[in-house]
Amino acid sequence: FQDPAPVRLAIDDFLHEQTRGLPGRVSYTVGAMDANNQLAPCASFDVALPKGARPWGRTSVAVRCLGGASWTQYVAVQIRVEGEYLVASRPLAG
């Protein structure tokens, strides 16, 4: 079975890199990967957002095994960006 810990570490590294330039305070949670999964052990991973996905809100990341096996696992993530924004109290003339 594939140990979830290195998969989680690869996802954390990927999300840290993807959210680095976002304004405000960024936090994220990563969904659980079944510890009793039926995936063959893997030595290295490629993590990616789905095509067209933004690095915030609810989404999933694809984790693809690059060494030792051939599988792709999708893991749910929630990315939050907190900051201060200006809001007009009435419509602005254009």
Side-chain angles (χ1 to χ4, degrees):
F1 301 115
Q2 173 61 53
D3 179 8
V7 175
R8 169 65 190 246
L9 182 59
I11 294 170
D12 283 339
D13 290 345
F14 174 78
L15 291 176
H16 178 73
E17 186 64 32
Q18 292 296 307
T19 60
R20 182 185 317 209
L22 294 176
R25 187 174 51 249
V26 176
S27 63
Y28 54 84
T29 55
V30 178
M33 184 176 166
D34 183 7
N36 295 319
N37 62 69
Q38 300 293 314
L39 302 173
C42 186
S44 63
F45 309 98
D46 176 51
V47 182
L49 285 167
K51 197 171 207 172
R54 303 174 315 258
W56 62 81
R58 288 181 193 252
T59 188
S60 63
V61 292
V63 181
R64 186 169 53 111
C65 177
L66 295 179
S70 178
W71 51 258
T72 301
Q73 178 78 31
Y74 293 90
V75 179
V77 296
Q78 171 74 40
I79 304 167
R80 292 175 201 79
V81 181
E82 297 178 39
E84 294 184 22
Y85 304 93
L86 297 176
V87 177
S89 62
R90 55 189 159 88
L92 302 175

